[in-house]
Amino acid sequence: MATMKIKKGDTVRVIAGADKNNEGKVISVNPEKGTVLVEGVHMIKKHTKPSMANQQGGIVEQEGPIALSNVMLLKGGKTTRVGFKEVDGKKVRYAKIDGSVID
């Protein structure tokens, strides 16, 4: 994958799957696998052994990865596609819904 259209800290909406129409902030992006972790979306249960960090152990609920193609950037409450263009010799992302620069 050349460049990621979704970055850490972006607000996204899930557009496909069991968590469709849920919104959240991107926690992390994995470009190798093409997945993202979105806050409060696709919660999975993970069984953990007791350790020094987690004395109790047991079942922990955490966010699971979502395919990058199943999320869309939110801009002003609406979903938008993301494009790239050069502004002052610098490559920037822009929202295709209104042409405004994202970062």
Side-chain angles (χ1 to χ4, degrees), residues 3 13 18-19 32 41 52-53 55 81-82 84 96-98:
T3 49
R13 178 178 291 156
D19 293 302
E32 289 84 32
V41 178
M52 293 303 285
Q55 298 278 335
R81 292 180 296 158
V82 178
F84 292 96
K96 290 198 174 185
I97 196 168
D98 58 1

Side-chain angles (χ1 to χ4, degrees), residues 14-35:
V14 180
I15 58 170
D19 293 302
K20 187 175 180 177
N21 293 327
N22 287 352
E23 297 174 7
K25 190 175 176 183
V26 175
I27 300 169
S28 68
V29 179
N30 187 343
E32 289 84 32
K33 293 186 178 179
T35 59

